[in-house]
């Protein structure tokens, strides 16, 4: 069955592209990496005004979601512009808390939808680190069937991307919900985080390819642009094919997630319509994650090679995208873990 974005969905992506183009995200990234979250939080607020974070929050809590297709459109654009902060984690927290329901959902979901709350989280099976926990208003952790609010961000750990700070949350914390619904909500949240990260990786790869094509058109060797060399053309074509192959898998996963949301009886404890994360949807998300992650990382390798020594320089804005591609490939499901899940599904 053919699948095309609607005019409204394309216009949504174009509006985000225009907003982020005007935001000077390289300057925001440099500030975020230096520990100054002010410009990033200001940009976060503008994205929330555009409806980005409301896409994962049910209408009952002030959102418009869950809308996985629109979330994919948004995250691709955020990846293309390398927006800092726990984007995938905040979207996943919207799904997690909607599934938990009760006072914790009523307290935090309206803030997530409006952009007032930046949230990070860790889930069992995805590693112990919370992205940008020091910039988050809350860090949630799930162990078994218990949801806790971490008492603090914990100590930072090294990251390949200086604008992606990793923290191991402090142990303990306040229990805010418990029961079988938490396990189901955590599965759905894990799928959402992986799905959003796949979209971010695809957008990152698209920008790497765009910048590299522009560079090889103006860089000359032997009196001609290096982009005219057959070997360069083949490398760029292979990169484009990888990204274009990932795109339908990403939107296919979005359709699977959307169908789970609309399935009769779907929901995780609150009747909010959040999907529980079926094996079929999970396998589709894993396929999208591994394909988009590998394509984005391949785009980074191509960009680095074709930019030559300039690709290593700190002054080159593209360096921020180069260093982001591999962390996005491995976050919320390494390639091997995603392939295993596809086979199991």
């Amino acid at each position: 069955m053919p699948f095309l974005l609607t005019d409204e969905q394309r216009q949504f992506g174009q509006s985000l592209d225009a907003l982020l183009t005007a935001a000077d995200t390289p300057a925001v990234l440099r500030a975020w990496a230096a520990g100054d979250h002010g410009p990033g939080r200001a940009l976060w607020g503008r994205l929330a005004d555009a409806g980005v974070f409301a896409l994962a929050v049910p209408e009952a809590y002030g959102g418009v979601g869950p809308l996985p297709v629109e979330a994919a459109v948004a995250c691709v654009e955020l990846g293309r512009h390398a927006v800092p902060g726990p984007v995938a984690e905040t979207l996943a927290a919207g799904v997690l808390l909607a599934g938990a329901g009760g006072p914790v959902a009523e307290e935090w979901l309206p803030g997530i939808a409006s952009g007032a709350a930046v949230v990070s989280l860790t889930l069992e099976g995805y590693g112990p680190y919370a992205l940008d926990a020091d910039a988050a208003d809350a860090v949630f952790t799930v162990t078994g069937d218990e949801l806790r609010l971490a008492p603090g961000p914990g100590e930072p750990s090294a990251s390949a991307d200086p604008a992606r700070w990793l923290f191991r949350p402090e142990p303990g914390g306040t229990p805010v919900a418990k029961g079988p619904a938490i396990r189901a909500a955590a599965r759905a949240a894990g799928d959402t985080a992986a799905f959003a990260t796949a979209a971010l990786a695809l957008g990152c790869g698209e920008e790497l390819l765009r910048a590299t094509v522009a560079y090889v058109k103006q860089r000359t060797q032997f009196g001609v642009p290096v982009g005219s060399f057959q070997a360069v053309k083949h490398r760029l074509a292979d990169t484009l094919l990888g990204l274009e192959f990932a795109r339908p898998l990403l939107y296919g996963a979005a359709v699977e997630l959307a169908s789970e949301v609309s399935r009769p009886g779907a929901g995780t404890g609150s009747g909010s319509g959040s999907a529980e994360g079926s094996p079929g949807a999970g396998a589709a998300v894993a396929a999208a994650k591994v394909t988009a992650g590998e394509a984005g990382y391949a785009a980074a390798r191509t960009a680095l090679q074709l930019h030559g020594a300039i690709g290593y320089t700190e002054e080159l804005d593209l360096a921020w995208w180069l260093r982001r591609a591999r962390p996005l490939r491995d976050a919320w499901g390494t390639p091997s873990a995603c392939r295993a899940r596809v086979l199991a599904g």
Side-chain angles (χ1 to χ4, degrees):
M1 181 179 70
F3 174 79
L4 295 173
L5 295 175
T6 65
D7 290 341
E8 290 79 6
Q9 290 164 342
R10 286 194 295 270
Q11 289 165 6
F12 178 50
Q14 291 165 3
S15 68
L16 291 177
D17 179 38
L19 184 158
L20 293 168
T21 298
D24 189 14
T25 52
V28 175
L29 280 163
R30 286 185 167 87
W32 193 275
D36 178 8
H37 301 132
R41 288 296 295 255
L43 177 58
W44 195 279
R46 293 197 292 274
L47 291 169
D49 290 341
V52 170
F53 302 107
L55 296 172
V57 176
E59 293 183 13
Y61 298 102
V64 296
L67 296 174
V69 176
E70 286 76 6
V73 171
C75 287
V76 169
E77 292 302 325
L78 269 60
R80 285 208 310 117
H81 291 273
V83 171
V87 172
E89 291 72 14
T90 297
L91 292 173
V95 172
L96 174 66
L97 298 179
V104 66
E106 295 171 359
E107 178 180 359
W108 287 100
L109 286 178
I112 290 175
S114 69
V118 175
V119 177
S120 192
L121 79 165
T122 65
L123 300 175
E124 209 167 27
Y126 287 98
Y129 296 106
L131 178 65
D132 294 320
D134 62 327
D137 299 295
V139 179
F140 291 98
T141 63
V142 176
T143 304
D145 62 357
E146 188 171 65
L147 172 63
R148 288 177 174 265
L149 180 61
E155 292 297 319
S157 299
S159 171
D161 180 351
R164 285 175 60 88
W165 291 71
L166 300 177
F167 292 81
R168 189 189 293 266
E170 294 178 5
T174 305
V176 292
K178 187 175 183 178
I182 300 303
R183 289 184 182 270
R187 287 195 297 271
D191 284 347
T192 299
F195 170 71
T197 303
L200 293 169
L202 178 60
C204 179
E206 287 181 348
E207 175 58 18
L208 286 162
L209 178 60
R210 184 208 62 78
T212 305
V213 170
Y215 180 73
V216 299
K217 284 181 178 179
Q218 58 88 26
R219 179 188 172 193
T220 61
Q221 192 172 17
F222 308 116
V224 297
V226 298
S228 65
F229 299 159
Q230 198 73 7
V232 172
K233 290 180 179 179
H234 284 173
R235 186 69 185 267
L236 292 170
D238 288 343
T239 302
L240 176 61
L241 285 173
L243 294 168
E244 289 303 315
F245 185 75
R247 191 184 314 281
L249 290 177
L250 175 68
Y251 286 108
V255 172
E256 286 283 348
L257 290 172
S259 67
E260 282 296 302
V261 171
S262 61
R263 176 174 54 83
T268 53
S270 66
S272 61
S274 300
E276 295 186 9
S278 73
V285 168
K289 175 63 172 59
V290 66
T291 309
E294 294 281 34
Y297 183 51
R301 292 169 64 90
T302 296
L304 184 60
Q305 181 181 23
L306 298 185
H307 275 81
I310 193 175
Y312 289 94
T313 61
E314 186 72 26
E315 291 78 11
L316 181 71
D317 286 343
L318 196 68
W320 295 97
W321 281 258
L322 288 170
R323 290 180 290 191
R324 178 153 295 196
R326 183 161 184 172
L328 288 176
R329 185 196 72 170
D330 296 337
W332 294 104
T334 62
S336 59
C338 289
R339 289 188 178 97
R341 192 173 185 191
V342 170
L343 293 172

